[in-house]
Amino acid sequence: MKGARITLKDVAEACGYTINTVSRALRDDPRLPLPTRTKIRQTAFSMGYIRNSLASTLRSGKSGNIAVIVNDIHNLHFCNMLSKIDIELRRAGYNMMVLCMQLDESLAEQMIHSAISQSVDGILFFPYHDNPSHIEYMENHSIPFVLLDRWIRGKVTDNARCDDVQGGYLAGSHLARLGHRRYLFLSGVNQSSSQLDRLEGFRRAMYDYGIPDEGIRIVPGENVEQALAQRRIGELLFPMNYTAIISFRDEVSYPVMLALEEHHIAIPGDISIVSFDHLRGEIPYLPKLTSIYADGESVAVQGVRLLLNRIADRTLPPQVTILPVRLYDEGTTAAPVKT
Amino acid sequence: MKGARITLKDVAEACGYTINTVSRALRDDPRLPLPTRTKIRQTAFSMGYIRNSLASTLRSGKSGNIAVIVNDIHNLHFCNMLSKIDIELRRAGYNMMVLCMQLDESLAEQMIHSAISQSVDGILFFPYHDNPSHIEYMENHSIPFVLLDRWIRGKVTDNARCDDVQGGYLAGSHLARLGHRRYLFLSGVNQSSSQLDRLEGFRRAMYDYGIPDEGIRIVPGENVEQALAQRRIGELLFPMNYTAIISFRDEVSYPVMLALEEHHIAIPGDISIVSFDHLRGEIPYLPKLTSIYADGESVAVQGVRLLLNRIADRTLPPQVTILPVRLYDEGTTAAPVKT
DNA sequence: ACAGGCTGGATTATCGATAATCTGGCAACG
DNA sequence: CGTTGCCAGATTATCGATAATCCAGCCTGT
């Protein structure tokens, strides 16, 4: 095959029709008789013709591309969702374009800019911090978008996520029913809706089960990370008057468990732990850990559905889909020891 | 802001220059006096102008996009490489477009087709099977590409990968030096270069250390997967005359270790195991496992470098970069018990 | 036999930007 | 003083495809 790319014009010359006719044959326009269509398509195929979708998009206004803007691609949780999004979009005839901010959310606007510049038909946006400015940027440019996995307080937009409030409540009530009275809540580093919601659900559970505020200590994510980095996680746990730990995510819970092991504190004998994420669902050879599981793939499916609806009709009222979560009891909780 | 997108024309009208002048101002053409440039850029910015990069690409022939074609996005190994590729490409002024085949390599041609259709400037291709046809497809369309992570036998192309032969050799010789004489080699399901190379390196080690063929059993990947799925992994291990296991990847090794544990076979007391991948480097709370580590991020960096070189000069002779691997001894190997 | 409707396809305009070429004015220069 | 050179910016052609419109020939009905 030659170096220069083959265009409609080349195909048209080769088979004796005009560019327009060839274009319509390749798009399977029913106004062209079937034999003509097949003949043209065959010539095009045998010449190795590949449509220039840029030109096509430019003229038709529809690119068939959807941008997915995500913070961090290292994370297995996101990878699974991306994979599912890809499958769902492809099924609907779209391509997925991943834009990754590499944990630097200040790039969000650049990413949105880039997506619009490439004429995507819509954006699936994974918020990281609870920051409305990027959302407003998308609104201002009136591009269809859906927030995934999290939401932004004060912004009414299309959104698909798991019920983090319920997650927090499940974790708290599970421990409360076992009889725990003294809780250590290890939260996350960023002010995301998932963190805020989980904490809110937890607090609600504490209230419902009559646990007094004095029985609850909430450690900010920064302190947790710092303690882990300096291998001083033990200090967070002492004085050892806590009987239950709730940890914002598995990636923190496991190091904490290792630290507990080093201090010869038995799980769940001495202390119970409930976590969020349930990584073990994806990496089955991890240690067992009672954890709240949110089905990211369903979020992906629903998010794609919402976006396609939005693209089809921009005047729809904002839709929110909240999916239930569940607690996988894997034995890292038990009734507290009477002291 | 309004619904319709703002174009060069709008900006031109707003500031009293022609489209062309505005275009050149936005591209910072030095032939325009600086004050004019800044003035135009400010107007464009304040109007919320976003360049239509499709139109730009169509005319200029350069898209600034690179396609990365990968088999499976679930895999942490790939995610890390993708992330690194993204960083490197962005640094060089390119965008990354991920195309994922969802484990169905028959889609490879579609992906390449799609990439070319979108006028990408180059392709980073992760081969899965040892199948040259996709490579030929890219060659025929004369699009710059680099094979990453693996290579295709019989094809001389740009390629960045780790030294899997060395990896196999390291694994084999490590065990041989400890005195093992009877080996079980669990291979992978697909005929990829990494599998073939690792096996080759292993065989070379066996030869160098004088291990007879009768001391080596090689289990095809299908059988391993099947045994794992049916929880009959034990059957592979019996009769228990093997003292060393070499496993093609950690994701198989861990289930095998669990199975061994169930059978009360001690590691490394009764049997030694060496694996490939070193997942623990990314998930530190996994169980310890002596494993060959290949630095995927360096492969990513080198691959991007090769592709950029290729784009800059298509007449270069093919370049191959092979990166060294290393063995992380985490204590799952020991000298065999004398029987 | 002729208006009106199909049919199969050609013409022409356009998407939004960039490249190549052109122009009118002013400064330098032999 | 007329030519050369440069400068800032305008004109025009073009990238590859699709949308909107148009037209010639043929069939159909009355």
Side-chain angles (χ1 to χ4, degrees):
Chain A
M1 248 169 256
K2 59 197 92 167
R5 198 163 142 185
I6 290 158
T7 71
L8 270 192
K9 194 172 144 203
D10 303 318
V11 179
E13 279 167 10
C15 60
Y17 288 96
T18 60
I19 295 183
N20 178 295
T21 307
V22 174
S23 169
R24 280 157 62 187
L26 293 177
R27 276 176 292 138
D28 224 18
D29 187 327
R31 298 187 309 173
L32 249 52
L34 195 56
T36 314
R37 269 183 270 165
T38 33
K39 199 178 72 185
I40 294 181
R41 307 189 85 144
Q42 277 172 4
T43 342
F45 180 79
S46 71
M47 294 174 73
Y49 170 74
I50 294 182
R51 160 201 275 111
N52 183 330
S53 43
L54 300 179
S56 166
T57 301
L58 181 58
R59 184 70 237 274
S60 69
K62 186 173 182 311
S63 72
N65 288 148
I66 299 289
V68 184
I69 300 183
V70 66
N71 216 291
D72 176 17
I73 209 179
H74 277 88
N75 195 308
L76 257 185
H77 180 237
F78 283 134
C79 288
N80 285 337
M81 297 183 75
L82 284 181
S83 187
K84 191 66 178 179
I85 289 171
D86 184 52
I87 292 171
E88 292 296 308
L89 284 179
R90 193 168 302 286
R91 190 203 308 282
Y94 285 91
N95 293 313
M96 175 177 79
M97 287 183 66
V98 180
L99 296 172
C100 178
M101 311 192 252
Q102 305 295 353
L103 291 176
D104 179 0
E105 204 180 22
S106 68
L107 293 176
E109 225 159 89
Q110 270 187 44
M111 301 285 140
I112 298 169
H113 185 105
S114 166
I116 296 177
S117 178
Q118 310 254 357
S119 303
V120 299
D121 295 329
I123 297 180
L124 291 168
F125 190 90
F126 284 83
Y128 185 55
H129 290 293
D130 198 35
N131 179 346
S133 70
H134 316 314
I135 312 313
E136 282 151 13
Y137 192 72
M138 291 191 280
E139 287 172 343
N140 286 340
H141 286 279
S142 57
I143 174 130
F145 70 95
V146 172
L147 301 190
L148 275 189
D149 211 31
R150 294 177 178 154
W151 60 295
I152 302 286
R153 272 142 215 270
K155 281 278 156 201
V156 182
T157 69
D158 287 334
N159 174 222
R161 64 176 196 268
C162 280
D163 194 341
D164 281 311
V165 176
Q166 185 206 3
Y169 192 91
L170 276 180
S173 58
H174 175 76
L175 289 164
R177 268 200 301 274
L178 287 169
H180 290 273
R181 307 288 296 174
R182 295 188 305 277
Y183 295 81
L184 188 66
F185 188 103
L186 307 177
S187 37
V189 285
N190 66 338
Q191 286 293 86
S192 65
S193 71
S194 33
Q195 185 197 310
L196 299 171
D197 287 354
R198 286 171 189 179
L199 186 52
E200 180 185 328
F202 170 70
R203 286 214 137 105
R204 215 177 276 175
M206 294 296 97
Y207 179 81
D208 285 358
Y209 283 84
I211 311 293
D213 276 358
E214 305 84 68
I216 304 167
R217 179 175 168 207
I218 293 166
V219 186
E222 296 74 19
N223 300 13
V224 180
E225 299 284 332
Q226 196 186 340
L228 279 175
Q230 301 176 357
R231 308 185 64 71
R232 294 185 300 99
I233 188 72
E235 294 178 18
L236 277 183
L237 304 174
F238 295 104
M240 254 303 293
N241 54 352
Y242 306 108
T243 63
I245 297 179
I246 297 201
S247 161
F248 178 64
R249 57 196 186 111
D250 284 358
E251 284 172 13
V252 167
S253 312
Y254 281 115
V256 168
M257 285 170 77
L258 287 180
L260 289 173
E261 201 175 310
E262 279 176 17
H263 287 86
H264 304 291
I265 299 169
I267 302 171
D270 298 321
I271 200 163
S272 291
I273 181 165
V274 176
S275 182
F276 289 85
D277 287 354
H278 196 60
L279 272 185
R280 238 175 73 81
E282 287 146 26
I283 312 177
Y285 31 92
L286 283 175
K288 293 197 171 182
L289 174 56
T290 296
S291 191
I292 304 290
Y293 172 68
D295 181 4
E297 300 204 348
S298 296
V299 172
V301 173
Q302 294 305 316
V304 169
R305 191 178 59 79
L306 292 183
L307 185 60
L308 296 181
N309 287 346
R310 170 67 47 204
I311 290 172
D313 179 2
R314 301 195 176 207
T315 66
L316 280 176
Q319 310 271 312
V320 175
T321 301
I322 299 180
L323 294 155
V325 300
R326 54 168 294 192
L327 182 140
Y328 278 87
D329 187 345
E330 295 197 322
T332 58
T333 59
V337 183
K338 292 279 177 280
T339 46
Chain B
M1 249 168 256
K2 59 197 97 170
R5 196 161 142 187
I6 290 157
T7 71
L8 271 192
K9 195 171 144 205
D10 302 317
V11 180
E13 278 166 11
C15 60
Y17 288 97
T18 60
I19 295 184
N20 177 292
T21 306
V22 175
S23 168
R24 279 157 64 187
L26 294 177
R27 276 176 292 139
D28 223 18
D29 187 326
R31 296 186 309 173
L32 248 52
L34 195 55
T36 314
R37 270 183 268 165
T38 33
K39 200 179 71 185
I40 294 181
R41 306 190 86 143
Q42 277 171 4
T43 342
F45 180 78
S46 71
M47 294 174 72
Y49 170 74
I50 294 183
R51 161 202 274 109
N52 184 330
S53 44
L54 277 68
S56 167
T57 301
L58 181 60
R59 186 66 238 262
S60 70
K62 187 174 181 309
S63 71
N65 287 149
I66 299 289
V68 184
I69 301 183
V70 66
N71 216 291
D72 176 17
I73 209 178
H74 277 88
N75 195 309
L76 257 187
H77 180 237
F78 283 133
C79 289
N80 285 337
M81 296 183 77
L82 284 182
S83 187
K84 191 66 179 179
I85 289 170
D86 184 52
I87 292 171
E88 292 297 308
L89 284 179
R90 193 167 303 285
R91 191 203 308 281
Y94 285 92
N95 293 313
M96 174 177 81
M97 289 183 63
V98 180
L99 297 171
C100 177
M101 310 191 254
Q102 306 295 353
L103 290 177
D104 179 2
E105 204 180 22
S106 68
L107 294 177
E109 228 159 86
Q110 269 186 45
M111 300 287 140
I112 298 169
H113 184 105
S114 166
I116 296 177
S117 177
Q118 310 254 357
S119 304
V120 299
D121 295 329
I123 297 180
L124 291 168
F125 190 89
F126 284 83
Y128 185 55
H129 290 293
D130 198 35
N131 179 346
S133 71
H134 315 313
I135 311 313
E136 283 152 12
Y137 192 71
M138 290 190 281
E139 286 173 342
N140 286 340
H141 286 279
S142 57
I143 174 130
F145 70 95
V146 173
L147 301 190
L148 275 190
D149 211 32
R150 294 177 177 154
W151 60 296
I152 303 285
R153 271 143 215 271
K155 280 277 154 201
V156 182
T157 69
D158 286 333
N159 174 221
R161 64 176 196 269
C162 281
D163 194 340
D164 282 311
V165 175
Q166 184 206 4
Y169 192 91
L170 276 180
S173 58
H174 176 76
L175 290 164
R177 270 200 301 273
L178 287 170
H180 291 273
R181 305 288 295 174
R182 295 188 305 277
Y183 295 82
L184 189 65
F185 188 103
L186 307 177
S187 38
V189 287
N190 66 338
Q191 286 294 85
S192 65
S193 71
S194 34
Q195 185 196 310
L196 298 171
D197 287 354
R198 286 172 188 179
L199 187 52
E200 181 185 327
F202 170 70
R203 286 214 136 106
R204 217 178 275 175
M206 294 296 98
Y207 179 81
D208 284 358
Y209 283 83
I211 312 291
D213 277 357
E214 306 84 69
I216 303 167
R217 178 174 168 209
I218 291 165
V219 185
E222 295 74 20
N223 300 15
V224 180
E225 298 286 331
Q226 196 185 341
L228 280 175
Q230 300 176 358
R231 308 186 64 71
R232 294 186 301 100
I233 189 73
E235 294 178 16
L236 278 182
L237 305 174
F238 296 103
M240 255 303 292
N241 54 353
Y242 306 107
T243 62
I245 297 179
I246 297 202
S247 162
F248 178 64
R249 57 196 186 113
D250 283 357
E251 284 171 14
V252 167
S253 313
Y254 281 114
V256 167
M257 284 169 77
L258 288 180
L260 290 172
E261 200 175 309
E262 280 176 17
H263 287 86
H264 304 291
I265 300 169
I267 303 172
D270 299 322
I271 200 163
S272 291
I273 181 164
V274 175
S275 182
F276 289 85
D277 287 353
H278 195 60
L279 272 186
R280 237 175 74 82
E282 287 146 26
I283 312 177
Y285 31 92
L286 283 174
K288 293 197 171 182
L289 173 57
T290 295
S291 190
I292 304 290
Y293 172 69
D295 181 3
E297 301 203 348
S298 295
V299 172
V301 172
Q302 294 305 316
V304 169
R305 191 178 59 79
L306 292 182
L307 184 60
L308 297 181
N309 286 346
R310 171 66 47 204
I311 290 172
D313 179 1
R314 300 194 176 209
T315 66
L316 280 176
Q319 311 271 311
V320 175
T321 302
I322 300 180
L323 294 155
V325 301
R326 53 168 295 192
L327 182 140
Y328 277 86
D329 188 343
E330 296 198 321
T332 59
T333 58
V337 184
K338 293 277 177 283
T339 45

